[in-house]
Amino acid sequence: MLSLLTCPMKNEPRSSGYLFLPVRRLYFTLKKKTSAMSVTVSPCSLPIEWSLAARTLKDKPLKNLQWSTKKSTPEVWWRGPGTEEKIHSFTGDTVDAFNGPSHLSASVYVVRLRSELQSTRVTVFLHEGQGPSGIFPRLPADPRVHTLGVGMTSVTLSWQPSASITSLPKAKNGYDYCVLVNSLQNYPSLCAAQERERGEKDRSQGKKEKKRQATPWPILKEWWWEQWESYPESQSLPSSLADDFDNLQCACQGTENVCTVSDLLPDTSYYFDVFVLDKVNGTSAAYKGASARTHEEARAAVLPLREGELRWVTFQDGASDSQQFFSFRPRGWQQSGLLTLQSCGGGEKLKVTVSSKGRVLTTQGVEAELIHIWLQGSPSYLIHLQQEGTATSKVTSVKDAARLAALKASVKMQVSSAYHRRGVPSLPSTLQIKSFNRLRGCNSVTLAWMGTEERSLYCVYRRKLSGFDAEAGGASALTAPCLGPESRSDTERVLCKYFQELNPRRAVTTAVIGGLEPGVAYVFDVYLMRRWGIPIKYASKMVKTRKEC
């Protein structure tokens, strides 16, 4: 025979003014000639203390005794003369059972339950007779949950099968596995997990948990002296226990002992509990739970930039949203630097974002015109280059297009520490090159361009045009703006000179380029070479020497 009682335990203040004394007592008697019994106590969510005692009374209370209305019959009997022997005791939050022989002289058995922390719920089962009660599902010898694989958004689990499931055919199997997932902790029982879920629902809805009511002295059957000889053969289990299984949010449910939990967050810790559910009796058994942390999202590699390094940044062909990350640590205690960028990819829409310690400092578009970004006040900077799409681009010569294709570059970038500067460097008022027709000869030409008030190095390059390019003329014969001196041959360099003029309006310098052939068209390029940043290229100038002098 099996009996069940779910016993709510509530904190009740004692009259002496102490804090709380949450104690419950359960009374039961055994059927005549019962040689053995088992008492199983299943705590819900908190550790409890419980004990089993056999009490032998000297005299049986008279049936016609007028009982006080303030005292229940078991309590009156409890206070009568007799002896008591403690049989078993346990403290913890796991399921515990006493299995042993009955006491022939015992008049009544007393189960004492105590929770030292706060209100909780306990389920008590009584089984009369030899052998296991069969009320709880069986766990394997190794009740641990194992982690087979961990991904960014999923975790695969496995566990040894329960004999309760493997010993029965599927058609008659009333057992299921249920896998529960949470981000707080592993739970020792299904009741504890359900209590946590109920608490979360109550908090989200702004409702307090309703107090559970219980009789002052719950017992497993009617008053013993009224039904001493008429004990029922069996007592059905409350249907509410089995009904609770329908409300479980199981990540996996069934008879398979492998489960893949998906739709998880990256880089997050999760706790996994596996329970065996007895859908007929409404009971469960808990495996030893596992925990795992999902992998973090794949982050793009952050490449460090060296001091003064000129970096060509390329993007994948056809990628509409590709991006790359770089880092830079300026030298010196001023923690300042100068970032220079120029688009060289033949029409991509590019954007640069500079941030430090998670705070965005600036966001700008990168185009064919050179841009400067002043860095100041941070020990390190994160530079994020992103390709957003395709824009229209100017047509260049076949030779320059071949050079750009060989470079396979989208952005030209350079960053340097600026020890004594307080901002971006000054730029020439115009990047146009002027040639003087009166000073143009058969073997030489004279060029002029604007400089700055800073002392800088200017280098002049020349490129001889073919007959077809010379006849075509126009923009097709000019050098691409992104091609710097590093992409030019040394044989094309004509001269380099330093120049400085404190008055910006008079900052004009000239150069006479000799050694030219008569009647030949040349393209001249001037580069402003600076200690910081990418060299600035002036607009290309095409000049044709005189054929006769």
Side-chain angles (χ1 to χ4, degrees):
M1 191 281 298
L2 177 68
S3 300
L4 174 147
L5 175 70
T6 300
C7 173
M9 301 181 63
K10 299 182 180 180
N11 292 329
E12 294 180 357
R14 299 193 301 186
S15 58
S16 58
Y18 290 94
L19 292 178
F20 295 105
L21 186 63
V23 178
R24 286 292 176 269
R25 295 182 182 90
L26 307 180
Y27 303 86
F28 67 91
T29 60
L30 297 178
K31 203 173 183 180
K32 287 184 178 181
K33 298 182 181 180
T34 300
S35 60
M37 65 173 176
S38 68
V39 178
T40 305
V41 177
S42 176
C44 183
S45 57
L46 296 174
I48 65 165
E49 298 177 10
W50 81 275
S51 64
L52 174 64
R55 185 168 179 79
T56 303
L57 301 180
K58 291 183 179 181
D59 300 315
K60 182 178 179 180
L62 297 177
K63 292 185 178 181
N64 58 357
L65 183 62
Q66 296 296 326
W67 304 109
S68 170
T69 57
K70 296 182 180 181
K71 300 290 184 179
S72 62
T73 303
E75 186 175 357
V76 174
W77 189 33
W78 167 262
R79 295 183 180 276
T83 60
E84 183 175 305
E85 178 186 355
K86 181 180 286 189
I87 302 175
H88 178 77
S89 63
F90 176 80
T91 301
D93 60 353
T94 58
V95 177
D96 181 60
F98 165 78
N99 300 278
S102 61
H103 288 236
L104 299 178
S105 61
S107 302
V108 67
Y109 293 90
V110 184
V111 177
R112 290 183 178 86
L113 304 165
R114 177 184 177 89
S115 173
E116 293 185 349
L117 298 178
Q118 62 185 27
S119 301
T120 185
R121 193 171 59 164
V122 179
T123 305
V124 182
F125 296 88
L126 169 64
H127 173 68
E128 296 182 53
Q130 300 284 349
S133 64
I135 186 62
F136 286 98
R138 286 179 286 173
L139 292 177
D142 180 13
R144 295 176 298 172
V145 178
H146 302 277
T147 303
L148 293 183
V150 179
M152 190 170 66
T153 59
S154 63
V155 175
T156 301
L157 309 168
S158 71
W159 55 91
Q160 294 295 323
S162 168
S164 300
I165 293 180
T166 56
S167 61
L168 296 176
K170 291 185 177 180
K172 298 182 179 180
N173 200 338
Y175 298 90
D176 264 347
Y177 296 114
C178 176
V179 180
L180 297 182
V181 185
N182 74 91
S183 58
L184 299 177
Q185 65 181 78
N186 289 114
Y187 292 97
S189 65
L190 180 62
C191 177
Q194 290 175 313
E195 285 292 310
R196 186 266 307 173
E197 185 175 354
R198 292 191 191 100
E200 288 184 353
K201 288 183 179 179
D202 290 343
R203 285 190 296 270
S204 63
Q205 297 175 358
K207 298 180 180 179
K208 295 183 178 180
E209 186 178 4
K210 296 181 179 179
K211 297 182 178 180
R212 301 181 180 90
Q213 299 179 354
T215 57
W217 299 103
I219 58 176
L220 297 179
K221 51 187 176 180
E222 299 297 332
W223 305 126
W224 64 274
W225 51 83
E226 296 179 2
Q227 298 187 19
W228 185 268
E229 299 294 339
S230 60
Y231 200 93
E233 291 297 326
S234 64
Q235 187 171 344
S236 62
L237 297 175
S239 60
S240 60
L241 291 180
D243 293 341
D244 285 347
F245 293 165
D246 297 335
N247 300 323
L248 291 175
Q249 302 295 326
C250 302
C252 296
Q253 186 169 2
T255 57
E256 298 293 333
N257 62 324
V258 176
C259 170
T260 298
V261 183
S262 55
D263 297 330
L264 303 177
L265 297 177
D267 196 21
T268 305
S269 295
Y270 289 95
Y271 297 86
F272 305 91
D273 293 301
V274 178
F275 303 97
V276 190
L277 308 181
D278 185 342
K279 295 179 289 185
V280 176
N281 293 320
T283 57
S284 63
Y287 281 76
K288 185 177 181 181
S291 63
R293 188 174 185 87
T294 53
H295 296 164
E296 63 180 358
E297 291 182 302
R299 297 181 179 179
V302 179
L303 303 177
L305 294 175
R306 296 193 301 270
E307 175 71 26
E309 174 190 8
L310 181 62
R311 177 72 64 97
W312 290 86
V313 183
T314 60
F315 295 94
Q316 297 180 356
D317 294 337
S320 60
D321 191 25
S322 56
Q323 55 187 353
Q324 295 191 38
F325 293 86
F326 303 89
S327 64
F328 177 68
R329 291 182 175 273
R331 299 177 183 176
W333 61 269
Q334 294 95 339
Q335 298 180 344
S336 58
L338 180 66
L339 173 64
T340 309
L341 303 103
Q342 187 176 21
S343 175
C344 308
E348 294 91 347
K349 290 183 179 179
L350 300 166
K351 181 178 69 174
V352 59
T353 301
V354 181
S355 59
S356 178
K357 298 180 180 180
R359 183 171 59 93
V360 176
L361 303 179
T362 182
T363 298
Q364 297 185 29
V366 182
E367 300 178 352
E369 298 295 331
L370 207 65
I371 65 170
H372 296 88
I373 298 177
W374 176 248
L375 311 176
Q376 188 175 19
S378 296
S380 64
Y381 299 90
L382 180 65
I383 303 169
H384 177 200
L385 282 175
Q386 184 176 9
Q387 180 180 356
E388 297 182 314
T390 304
T392 57
S393 59
K394 296 181 180 180
V395 179
T396 59
S397 66
V398 177
K399 186 175 182 180
D400 289 336
R403 291 185 181 184
L404 285 173
L407 292 173
K408 296 181 181 180
S410 292
V411 173
K412 187 165 61 172
M413 176 175 58
Q414 196 257 8
V415 62
S416 300
S417 299
Y419 297 103
H420 61 280
R421 298 201 59 88
R422 296 183 180 226
V424 298
S426 59
L427 298 177
S429 58
T430 178
L431 294 179
Q432 298 297 322
I433 302 175
K434 182 177 178 59
S435 65
F436 299 95
N437 188 46
R438 292 183 179 181
L439 301 178
R440 180 169 60 95
C442 295
N443 303 107
S444 66
V445 295
T446 301
L447 305 176
W449 62 89
M450 298 294 296
T452 66
E453 63 271 21
E454 299 175 358
R455 189 173 187 270
S456 302
L457 180 66
Y458 299 84
C459 293
V460 181
Y461 287 76
R462 71 178 181 186
R463 177 163 55 89
K464 183 179 178 181
L465 295 180
S466 63
F468 175 80
D469 290 336
E471 292 179 1
S476 61
L478 305 182
T479 306
C482 199
L483 293 176
E486 71 281 350
S487 62
R488 308 293 294 265
S489 172
D490 291 341
T491 58
E492 294 181 346
R493 186 170 66 242
V494 178
L495 61 87
C496 290
K497 58 179 291 189
Y498 284 96
F499 175 76
Q500 180 183 17
E501 175 57 55
L502 298 180
N503 187 353
R505 295 183 179 180
R506 299 177 56 186
V508 180
T509 182
T510 60
V512 177
I513 312 299
L516 306 179
E517 298 179 10
V520 176
Y522 293 88
V523 172
F524 295 93
D525 295 301
V526 177
Y527 295 93
L528 170 56
M529 315 289 288
R530 302 170 300 166
R531 182 179 179 183
W532 299 281
I534 299 173
I536 298 177
K537 179 185 176 300
Y538 287 72
S540 298
K541 183 66 174 179
M542 186 179 68
V543 182
K544 186 175 182 180
T545 57
R546 297 185 185 274
K547 191 173 183 180
E548 296 179 355
C549 295

